[in-house]
Amino acid sequence: MKKRKKRRKVYLDNTPLDEAIDNFFNVLEEIGKDSLPSETVKTEDALHRITREPIFAKTSSPHYHASAMDGVAVKSQSTHRASLRNPKVLSIPEQAEIVDTGAPLPEDKDAVIMIEDVDWAGKKEIEIVEPAAPWQHVRTIGEDLVATELIVPAGQKLKPVDIGAILAGGITEVSVEPKPKVSVVPTGTELVEPGSDLEPGDIVEFNSHVLCGLISEWGGTPFRENKLDDDYEQIADTVRNLTSKQDLVVVNAGSSAGSHDYTYQVIKDLGEVICHGVAIKPGKPVILGIVDKTPVIGIPGYPVSATLTMELFVKPILYYWQNRKPYISKQIRANMSRRVVSSFNAQEYLRVKVGKVGDNFVATPLGRGAGMIMSLVKADGVTVIPQMREGIEKGEEVEVDLYRPKNEIESTVVGIGSHDISLDILSNELHKHFPPYSLSSAHVGSMGGIMALKREEAHIAGVHLLDSETGEYNKPHIEKYLKEEDVVLVNLAYREQGLIVSKGNPKNITGLHDIVRDDVSFVNRQKGAGTRILLDYKLKELGINSENILGYDREEVNHLSVAAAVNGNTADCGLGIRAAAEALDLEFVPVAKERYDLAIPRKYWEWDGIQYILQVIRSEGFKNSIDELSGYDLSSSGQILH
Amino acid sequence: MKKRKKRRKVYLDNTPLDEAIDNFFNVLEEIGKDSLPSETVKTEDALHRITREPIFAKTSSPHYHASAMDGVAVKSQSTHRASLRNPKVLSIPEQAEIVDTGAPLPEDKDAVIMIEDVDWAGKKEIEIVEPAAPWQHVRTIGEDLVATELIVPAGQKLKPVDIGAILAGGITEVSVEPKPKVSVVPTGTELVEPGSDLEPGDIVEFNSHVLCGLISEWGGTPFRENKLDDDYEQIADTVRNLTSKQDLVVVNAGSSAGSHDYTYQVIKDLGEVICHGVAIKPGKPVILGIVDKTPVIGIPGYPVSATLTMELFVKPILYYWQNRKPYISKQIRANMSRRVVSSFNAQEYLRVKVGKVGDNFVATPLGRGAGMIMSLVKADGVTVIPQMREGIEKGEEVEVDLYRPKNEIESTVVGIGSHDISLDILSNELHKHFPPYSLSSAHVGSMGGIMALKREEAHIAGVHLLDSETGEYNKPHIEKYLKEEDVVLVNLAYREQGLIVSKGNPKNITGLHDIVRDDVSFVNRQKGAGTRILLDYKLKELGINSENILGYDREEVNHLSVAAAVNGNTADCGLGIRAAAEALDLEFVPVAKERYDLAIPRKYWEWDGIQYILQVIRSEGFKNSIDELSGYDLSSSGQILH
């Protein structure tokens, strides 16, 4: 091993997270950047701003004695002993003055009689039949708000009614927390604007929009700067210029130690690097630095790393400057639905889907790649695997910080099982017609779905399992693996399975017999997937030995990834549904027609979430959407088959 | 009674709420205003907009096979059997090509070896000691997102990461729910702009700012129009003009049937009135109408009525147009802390403070006047008393729709008892230093506070109760009325009580002996208030009969309202603390010095909320703030006295 030489030194620290944050905040304090001045805004423009100071009323409301009704103002003494038997006659305007709601009470009057209770004795006289109590139907000075009274405390996010009360209290300007100015600098020669024609190697620059969105959600004012090439001078000029006018500068990316990564060098040359490399996963190559007394943060390029490091380093600074103390408002305990292995060297932030099945919350890990932005879109929350731990066991209880309200989580129908495109449509229709209900689907194959039902980790499982002995779908497997459970099978659709091949079918693949050819590479589905079972059943029928299939061991977890592999020319064919082939404009060689059902344990049957799912499946809207896809037969759709 | 004549007919319907809403929505459907067209916006501008259609990916991400690491791209076959003993040498660039993270994989390569694992055998050769598996460290096409895959469903409020994923999927424009255009027209000759010098009868026009804030929170685009006088022509011209260009017009107010109320007549003359008067309280005089196929809603003028009718009539329309289905996300069951009497004729919306004391939520009704905007600022939620019910009993369980997150409610220290200005400061400091903790105070006097502790409706009670036999403060009352409870008494302050009199003391009041004078009117505190007990104790000492005091029966519930009564000249004097007198720039005649303590049952003592309160009381910041007020002695502040 001795003689191994490295071309480039990859110098990244592995500073523990807390230490990195502490060091950075200490430096901010040293250079006087631990606070920002408050901002003064007109009260009417202060909606949703956060007060820095408590606000006390300057004037009372009402600021005069006001009639609370349309009526006549009187002196209560002059109405003493009025009764039906002995009505009192009062002269207008000396003894009784007509007032509208909100009008000031005349100086010598102290009560109002409602107009409905007044009889007209003549043009200039009224008659009353009941005495008026002092101050009746009068809003006295300060009834609502007394000058000097506290209207809202410091640190309050102003609601519409708060704005009203502050104006009522005579305060036309308020001192609020600033909206820190943050520049986001996208760097990378390979970056192109969204909507450009894409060449291999081009990367769509969307990170800056995500980062700017986060900054504005955290109370900052984001500035998206022009994209820079990987060019030391360009980046240095921009950072120098921005640090002279912004509160914080975020450079994305070039934060690692590759040959085109200049962020570290720029910060080092212009100022000081506090930390480069933190023991977190993803997000390790973050840079915390100071230039011209302004914090500059190098954020890694992969979207998941980028959002996580923003959350860990940028959010606390913005909150600190606004005197907002972040606290975890939505944390739950959930059981992990499968084992997760993690690195000993870093604190890992694992994105999870969460559902409530029976009485328990269940967390299912999502894709862990730092480049998987869809794992962020799909995530319900995040759980942290501490440094010095090697992972989380299946069933282990973890704490999850939720991204969504708990009631939405509780209204999520958890689907685990085989993937079908119609599930996306089902999910969409459910959410549209029955919010807050939604359907989450994890794609682990039909057998995976059945096992999830058994472990009470899902409400429904999408299954298309051929029994190789009887040729019957689903029922035999359910009866075998879910013996103790009373399960309902609802048909979603019949669908065509076949070989997905490239446009024009260049290798002339006409059926399963072709997949053993030497010049044909195959992409398979994972063990337990209905499609895999179908393949094995058909191979057996045809007497084909799977060892002779090139790529039999390469597994993808859903139809679309199989089609994507064919589309990307990493395989010549794969078994999947017609809709997947058509979605990517590929060709399709039919092999079989199969039944795709939803398996639903009886114990969840009455729950609204399930009932809404059934309503959607049986609706015209859903059927019309599926009809637009190819290869589906909906004649039994929504029928209970078991 | 027969001969009674009415000067004005007050014609308001009393339509049940559901009927009014149904009728109005039916008309909207008839005229084709039950939906609005969607809006197309650039994806990068779509943050927090709501999707109208599901969004499917147009391009895959990655859209090419990309290196996931800095390293060398190789053909995996060419690395077979490489080991430490038998390193393989590969030539550059034929067999091994250097690639950066994100770079496209060369056409003839199918794996990447990390740069750290590569040894340099020469300038043009590398040596590897391990085979590379096919597709290792490669992000294959569509790994993150496959073209045609669902990115977000319809009806989703787009988060920052959603924007990123949509851009990654090649979608640069999205179809979103519109932001309905709503004009708010303030009317009323008596209205003046905030900040104006106020004459009696002037009303600060703040409602329109509240209404516009609500509209924008509900997804609309508010337009605040110029204020109009109570003038039929002005209002008619404006409504005619606005209905031709806006989606909805809100006229505030003039919606009742008074002599200056023109909204009804204008809508009737220009279009159609669907309903005038709904059986709700507050908010009865609402008008639902249509002009030029555009809904026009007359909203009552009192702020509480205005926000409630906005919530009941405007919010559903805006949500409907945006295909948002409102659902109650935060509802709890709480016990009402006191009896509330309600009208049989209307559905009443009662604003409440909510706290969690022990295991139960407790709801305390707030001021019910339609003009009390502070009741909205202070409210934690609202409960509905149905029509045909006469009220809610004390202790009865009610459903409360929360305005604040439940965890904030659970972090609220419920204080019920005597009012002191220092409690406002305590509340402010607690919220500032220990969010989400806050202190809510209901002012019902010292005895009311003790009773609230007894009924487990509060965590703390502010008390200053003089025992007339022993002259000792607080302890005797606690021991008498909270026998079963172990209670801690913590001193908040010693404070001066005295007579609050007008500036310059025009009636020359020099002590309690003067309050029996014929030319002096008094304003008292309610029974059970510590100040009332002190007064009665002192009167007894002086041998004064309370029947001889003019205004002894007029009760206010806190010091500031007593001071406000004096300031408003509805009374010549009242007993209260020096700070209240100074707050309103009144004069003060000292009568006694008294001890003000917080009574805290031992069972709440360990709870964080209480511990934080104690920390604040003992902090310098709190003491400094109190020192700025007059009449406080803080020498024992924070000490445990019992």
Side-chain angles (χ1 to χ4, degrees):
Chain A
M1 290 293 276
K2 251 195 191 164
K3 67 179 191 116
R4 294 179 67 186
K5 287 155 284 175
K6 302 248 158 113
R7 183 170 160 248
R8 294 188 216 140
K9 289 280 174 197
V10 182
Y11 285 125
L12 281 188
D13 313 332
N14 198 40
T15 314
L17 177 62
D18 292 346
E19 197 182 313
I21 290 178
D22 280 357
N23 290 345
F24 197 48
F25 272 86
N26 284 340
V27 175
L28 290 178
E29 207 178 313
E30 273 166 33
I31 62 170
K33 271 295 158 70
D34 51 341
S35 67
L36 292 183
S38 67
E39 197 183 322
T40 301
V41 297
K42 285 174 75 177
T43 303
E44 55 206 74
D45 299 329
L47 184 66
H48 299 161
R49 297 298 294 265
I50 300 165
T51 53
R52 177 164 281 189
E53 305 290 341
I55 298 177
F56 298 97
K58 211 169 79 183
T59 53
S60 297
S61 174
H63 58 97
Y64 57 92
H65 297 314
S67 174
M69 295 282 177
D70 289 351
V72 290
V74 298
K75 198 171 218 155
S76 55
Q77 278 182 332
S78 69
T79 66
H80 271 0
R81 301 200 186 85
S83 69
L84 266 177
R85 284 183 152 208
N86 292 305
K88 277 223 162 184
V89 174
L90 302 177
S91 66
I92 295 178
E94 297 76 19
Q95 293 177 296
E97 215 174 311
I98 292 164
V99 285
D100 282 320
T101 306
L105 199 68
E107 285 255 331
D108 59 339
K109 307 290 191 293
D110 68 354
V112 170
I113 299 171
M114 289 191 342
I115 197 72
E116 294 92 318
D117 296 336
V118 166
D119 285 343
W120 291 87
K123 246 194 154 170
K124 288 281 180 188
E125 280 176 347
I126 58 163
E127 200 182 87
I128 55 165
V129 294
E130 239 180 300
W135 306 106
Q136 83 172 21
H137 302 317
V138 174
R139 301 185 63 216
T140 55
I141 292 180
E143 179 190 277
D144 188 8
L145 198 55
V146 180
T148 77
E149 189 178 338
L150 179 74
I151 304 177
V152 288
Q156 177 134 327
K157 194 169 187 175
L158 295 173
K159 306 184 297 285
V161 292
D162 296 337
I163 301 290
I166 294 168
L167 289 173
I171 310 290
T172 54
E173 279 188 340
V174 292
S175 158
V176 294
E177 295 296 346
K179 293 171 98 52
K181 298 186 303 251
V182 185
S183 274
V184 173
V185 185
T187 72
T189 311
E190 72 285 5
L191 298 179
V192 298
E193 284 297 311
S196 311
D197 284 332
L198 298 178
E199 299 293 325
D202 289 349
I203 292 180
V204 176
E205 201 296 286
F206 59 77
N207 263 0
S208 65
H209 297 290
V210 178
L211 270 45
C212 286
L214 293 172
I215 289 162
S216 91
E217 286 192 341
W218 298 332
T221 307
F223 295 83
R224 181 180 178 248
E225 306 297 334
N226 290 330
K227 165 197 111 65
L228 304 181
D229 286 339
D230 292 314
D231 177 293
Y232 178 90
E233 290 304 330
Q234 269 191 38
I235 299 172
D237 284 351
T238 303
V239 167
R240 200 182 293 116
N241 175 31
L242 292 173
T243 47
S244 69
K245 59 182 188 188
Q246 303 296 59
D247 296 314
L248 173 65
V249 176
V250 168
V251 181
N252 180 235
S255 69
S256 193
S259 56
H260 303 307
D261 293 333
Y262 296 111
T263 310
Y264 169 82
Q265 201 56 43
V266 165
I267 299 175
K268 190 161 174 257
D269 293 349
L270 296 180
E272 186 190 357
V273 171
I274 313 299
C275 175
H276 186 200
V278 177
I280 50 171
K281 191 184 162 189
K284 179 172 175 164
V286 71
I287 307 171
L288 307 175
I290 305 283
V291 174
D292 192 15
K293 297 204 165 191
T294 302
V296 179
I297 300 187
I299 292 286
Y302 276 135
V304 180
S305 316
T307 52
L308 177 68
T309 47
M310 286 291 288
E311 182 90 33
L312 293 176
F313 301 101
V314 174
K315 185 178 178 184
I317 297 179
L318 294 182
Y319 270 49
Y320 200 75
W321 282 339
Q322 298 168 79
N323 287 303
R324 290 165 76 174
K325 302 208 174 143
Y327 60 93
I328 301 305
S329 61
K330 290 173 288 182
Q331 202 169 50
I332 56 157
R333 300 191 69 80
N335 297 98
M336 193 60 83
S337 70
R338 52 183 104 143
R339 184 159 181 257
V340 178
V341 178
S342 170
S343 155
F344 206 72
N345 285 321
Q347 180 157 318
E348 178 166 356
Y349 290 77
L350 184 70
R351 293 161 305 288
V352 293
K353 287 292 301 174
V354 181
K356 190 172 190 182
V357 182
D359 293 332
N360 297 318
F361 287 102
V362 177
T364 301
L366 285 161
R368 295 161 75 187
M372 311 278 269
I373 190 165
M374 283 305 287
S375 70
L376 293 172
V377 170
K378 290 177 183 163
D380 295 325
V382 67
T383 188
V384 179
I385 311 176
Q387 202 172 343
M388 316 298 280
R389 276 215 48 184
E390 287 176 324
I392 298 172
E393 293 307 311
K394 189 167 124 182
E396 191 177 328
E397 204 180 57
V398 291
E399 285 196 341
V400 178
D401 291 342
L402 293 181
Y403 294 154
R404 301 198 295 150
K406 202 165 134 188
N407 77 307
E408 282 187 18
I409 302 283
E410 288 170 342
S411 309
T412 299
V413 181
V414 181
I416 298 186
S418 170
H419 176 248
D420 189 83
I421 292 164
S422 61
L423 288 179
D424 285 347
I425 293 167
L426 182 55
S427 162
N428 182 57
E429 294 276 314
L430 177 68
H431 186 67
K432 190 166 142 193
H433 294 289
F434 302 101
Y437 286 89
S438 70
L439 168 65
S440 83
S441 326
H443 308 142
V444 297
S446 295
M447 272 311 296
I450 288 180
M451 289 303 135
L453 292 184
K454 197 184 176 81
R455 292 191 302 263
E456 302 200 327
E457 289 167 10
H459 300 111
I460 65 174
V463 290
H464 54 115
L465 283 167
L466 180 65
D467 182 40
S468 40
E469 319 232 313
T470 61
E472 193 185 1
Y473 265 95
N474 299 332
K475 199 175 146 212
H477 280 84
I478 296 283
E479 283 176 345
K480 182 168 171 195
Y481 295 101
L482 285 172
K483 270 197 284 294
E484 290 83 30
E485 198 74 69
D486 185 7
V487 175
V488 184
L489 279 173
V490 178
N491 181 248
L492 189 65
Y494 281 84
R495 60 183 196 178
E496 271 184 292
Q497 286 270 16
L499 288 167
I500 298 170
V501 299
S502 293
K503 186 88 183 163
N505 197 356
K507 298 234 166 138
N508 194 29
I509 297 163
T510 61
L512 282 178
H513 51 273
D514 284 324
I515 69 171
V516 283
R517 273 162 47 190
D518 269 358
D519 65 330
V520 169
S521 65
F522 185 75
V523 53
N524 207 349
R525 289 291 307 281
Q526 83 282 12
K527 286 173 206 77
T531 304
R532 172 78 164 256
I533 292 172
L534 175 66
L535 175 74
D536 292 342
Y537 177 78
K538 290 285 178 187
L539 291 180
K540 203 170 140 196
E541 232 177 42
L542 296 168
I544 296 173
N545 182 349
S546 65
E547 285 186 9
N548 298 328
I549 301 170
L550 197 65
Y552 182 85
D553 294 332
R554 178 173 171 198
E555 297 181 345
E556 292 286 346
V557 293
N558 66 50
H559 298 283
L560 278 172
S561 1
V562 167
V566 174
N567 194 37
N569 294 319
T570 68
D572 294 317
C573 65
L575 193 63
I577 56 174
R578 183 186 283 272
E582 302 219 337
L584 297 193
D585 201 20
L586 298 167
E587 290 197 14
F588 183 77
V589 180
V591 167
K593 198 166 163 185
E594 65 171 8
R595 203 176 94 197
Y596 186 97
D597 297 336
L598 298 181
I600 307 170
R602 176 78 62 188
K603 61 191 171 197
Y604 308 132
W605 190 257
E606 299 298 330
W607 179 46
D608 284 351
I610 295 298
Q611 287 301 313
Y612 293 149
I613 289 260
L614 294 173
Q615 280 189 47
V616 170
I617 294 176
R618 290 162 185 169
S619 71
E620 284 309 306
F622 175 71
K623 291 188 176 169
N624 292 341
S625 300
I626 302 286
D627 270 343
E628 285 175 19
L629 306 171
S630 298
Y632 285 90
D633 170 358
L634 296 177
S635 51
S636 308
S637 190
Q639 281 182 28
I640 294 171
L641 301 176
H642 176 55
Chain B
M1 290 292 280
K2 250 193 188 163
K3 67 178 192 118
R4 295 178 66 188
K5 285 156 285 176
K6 301 247 158 112
R7 180 171 162 247
R8 293 191 216 139
K9 290 279 174 195
V10 183
Y11 285 125
L12 279 190
D13 312 331
N14 198 37
T15 314
L17 177 62
D18 291 347
E19 196 182 314
I21 289 179
D22 279 357
N23 290 346
F24 197 49
F25 271 85
N26 284 340
V27 174
L28 290 179
E29 208 178 314
E30 273 166 32
I31 62 169
K33 270 296 161 69
D34 52 341
S35 68
L36 291 183
S38 68
E39 196 183 322
T40 301
V41 296
K42 285 174 76 178
T43 303
E44 55 207 73
D45 299 329
L47 185 66
H48 300 160
R49 297 299 293 266
I50 299 165
T51 53
R52 177 163 282 190
E53 305 291 340
I55 299 177
F56 297 96
K58 210 169 78 183
T59 52
S60 297
S61 173
H63 58 99
Y64 58 92
H65 298 314
S67 175
M69 296 282 175
D70 289 352
V72 292
V74 298
K75 198 171 219 154
S76 55
Q77 277 180 330
S78 69
T79 65
H80 271 0
R81 301 201 188 85
S83 69
L84 265 179
R85 285 180 153 215
N86 292 307
K88 278 222 164 186
V89 175
L90 302 175
S91 67
I92 296 177
E94 296 76 19
Q95 293 176 297
E97 218 175 307
I98 292 164
V99 286
D100 282 320
T101 306
L105 200 66
E107 283 255 331
D108 59 341
K109 307 290 191 290
D110 68 351
V112 170
I113 300 172
M114 289 188 347
I115 198 74
E116 295 93 319
D117 297 335
V118 168
D119 285 343
W120 292 87
K123 243 190 156 169
K124 288 284 180 187
E125 280 175 349
I126 58 161
E127 202 181 87
I128 54 165
V129 293
E130 240 180 300
W135 306 107
Q136 82 172 20
H137 302 318
V138 174
R139 301 185 63 214
T140 56
I141 291 179
E143 180 190 277
D144 189 7
L145 197 56
V146 180
T148 77
E149 189 178 337
L150 178 75
I151 305 176
V152 288
Q156 176 134 329
K157 193 170 189 175
L158 295 173
K159 307 183 295 289
V161 292
D162 297 337
I163 301 290
I166 295 168
L167 290 172
I171 310 290
T172 53
E173 279 187 338
V174 292
S175 158
V176 294
E177 296 296 347
K179 292 171 99 50
K181 297 184 302 247
V182 185
S183 273
V184 173
V185 185
T187 72
T189 311
E190 73 284 8
L191 298 180
V192 299
E193 285 297 313
S196 312
D197 283 333
L198 298 177
E199 299 293 324
D202 289 348
I203 291 180
V204 176
E205 201 295 285
F206 60 77
N207 263 359
S208 65
H209 297 288
V210 178
L211 271 44
C212 286
L214 292 172
I215 289 162
S216 90
E217 286 191 341
W218 298 333
T221 308
F223 296 83
R224 180 178 179 249
E225 307 296 335
N226 290 331
K227 166 197 111 67
L228 305 181
D229 284 341
D230 291 314
D231 176 292
Y232 178 89
E233 290 304 331
Q234 268 190 40
I235 298 173
D237 284 351
T238 303
V239 167
R240 199 183 293 115
N241 175 31
L242 291 173
T243 48
S244 70
K245 57 181 189 185
Q246 304 296 59
D247 297 314
L248 174 64
V249 175
V250 168
V251 181
N252 180 236
S255 68
S256 195
S259 57
H260 303 307
D261 293 333
Y262 296 112
T263 309
Y264 169 82
Q265 201 56 43
V266 164
I267 299 176
K268 189 160 175 256
D269 293 350
L270 296 180
E272 186 190 356
V273 171
I274 312 300
C275 175
H276 186 200
V278 177
I280 51 173
K281 190 184 164 192
K284 179 171 175 166
V286 70
I287 307 171
L288 307 175
I290 305 281
V291 173
D292 191 15
K293 297 205 164 191
T294 301
V296 179
I297 300 187
I299 293 286
Y302 275 136
V304 180
S305 316
T307 54
L308 178 67
T309 48
M310 287 290 288
E311 181 90 34
L312 292 176
F313 301 102
V314 173
K315 185 178 179 184
I317 297 179
L318 295 183
Y319 268 49
Y320 200 74
W321 281 340
Q322 299 169 78
N323 287 301
R324 288 166 79 172
K325 301 202 175 146
Y327 59 94
I328 301 304
S329 62
K330 291 172 288 182
Q331 203 170 50
I332 55 156
R333 301 191 69 80
N335 298 99
M336 194 60 85
S337 70
R338 51 184 104 143
R339 183 156 183 259
V340 178
V341 177
S342 170
S343 154
F344 207 71
N345 285 323
Q347 180 157 317
E348 178 167 357
Y349 290 76
L350 183 70
R351 293 163 303 289
V352 292
K353 286 293 299 174
V354 181
K356 190 171 189 184
V357 182
D359 293 332
N360 298 319
F361 287 102
V362 178
T364 302
L366 284 162
R368 294 161 77 186
M372 310 278 268
I373 190 164
M374 282 307 285
S375 72
L376 293 172
V377 170
K378 289 177 185 163
D380 294 325
V382 66
T383 189
V384 180
I385 310 176
Q387 202 171 344
M388 317 296 279
R389 277 215 48 184
E390 286 176 327
I392 299 173
E393 293 305 313
K394 188 166 123 181
E396 191 176 328
E397 203 182 57
V398 292
E399 285 196 342
V400 178
D401 292 342
L402 292 182
Y403 294 154
R404 300 199 296 150
K406 202 164 135 189
N407 77 307
E408 282 184 20
I409 302 283
E410 289 169 342
S411 309
T412 299
V413 182
V414 182
I416 298 185
S418 170
H419 176 249
D420 188 84
I421 292 165
S422 62
L423 288 178
D424 285 347
I425 293 168
L426 182 56
S427 162
N428 183 57
E429 294 277 314
L430 177 68
H431 186 67
K432 190 165 144 194
H433 295 289
F434 302 101
Y437 287 88
S438 69
L439 169 66
S440 83
S441 326
H443 308 142
V444 296
S446 294
M447 271 312 294
I450 288 179
M451 289 302 135
L453 291 185
K454 196 184 178 83
R455 293 190 302 263
E456 302 199 330
E457 289 168 8
H459 301 111
I460 65 175
V463 289
H464 53 114
L465 285 166
L466 180 64
D467 181 43
S468 40
E469 320 233 310
T470 62
E472 193 184 4
Y473 265 96
N474 300 331
K475 200 174 146 214
H477 281 85
I478 296 283
E479 282 175 347
K480 179 167 175 196
Y481 295 101
L482 286 172
K483 268 198 281 298
E484 290 82 30
E485 198 75 68
D486 185 7
V487 176
V488 183
L489 279 174
V490 178
N491 182 249
L492 190 64
Y494 281 84
R495 59 183 198 179
E496 272 184 292
Q497 286 268 18
L499 287 168
I500 297 171
V501 299
S502 294
K503 186 87 182 163
N505 198 357
K507 298 236 166 135
N508 193 28
I509 296 163
T510 59
L512 283 177
H513 51 272
D514 283 324
I515 69 174
V516 283
R517 273 161 47 191
D518 268 357
D519 64 332
V520 169
S521 65
F522 185 74
V523 53
N524 207 348
R525 288 293 306 283
Q526 83 282 14
K527 285 174 205 76
T531 304
R532 172 77 165 256
I533 292 172
L534 175 67
L535 175 73
D536 293 343
Y537 178 79
K538 290 284 177 189
L539 291 180
K540 204 168 139 197
E541 233 179 41
L542 295 169
I544 297 173
N545 182 351
S546 65
E547 284 185 12
N548 298 330
I549 301 170
L550 197 66
Y552 182 86
D553 293 331
R554 178 172 171 201
E555 297 182 346
E556 292 288 345
V557 294
N558 66 50
H559 297 285
L560 278 171
S561 358
V562 167
V566 174
N567 194 37
N569 294 318
T570 67
D572 294 318
C573 65
L575 192 63
I577 58 175
R578 183 187 281 270
E582 302 220 336
L584 297 193
D585 202 19
L586 299 166
E587 289 195 18
F588 183 78
V589 180
V591 167
K593 198 165 163 186
E594 65 172 6
R595 202 177 93 197
Y596 186 95
D597 296 336
L598 299 181
I600 308 171
R602 174 80 60 186
K603 61 191 172 197
Y604 307 132
W605 189 256
E606 297 298 329
W607 179 46
D608 284 350
I610 295 298
Q611 286 302 312
Y612 292 149
I613 289 259
L614 294 174
Q615 279 189 48
V616 169
I617 294 177
R618 290 162 185 171
S619 72
E620 283 309 305
F622 175 70
K623 291 189 176 167
N624 293 340
S625 300
I626 303 288
D627 269 343
E628 285 174 20
L629 306 170
S630 298
Y632 285 89
D633 169 358
L634 297 177
S635 51
S636 309
S637 191
Q639 281 182 28
I640 294 172
L641 300 177
H642 176 55

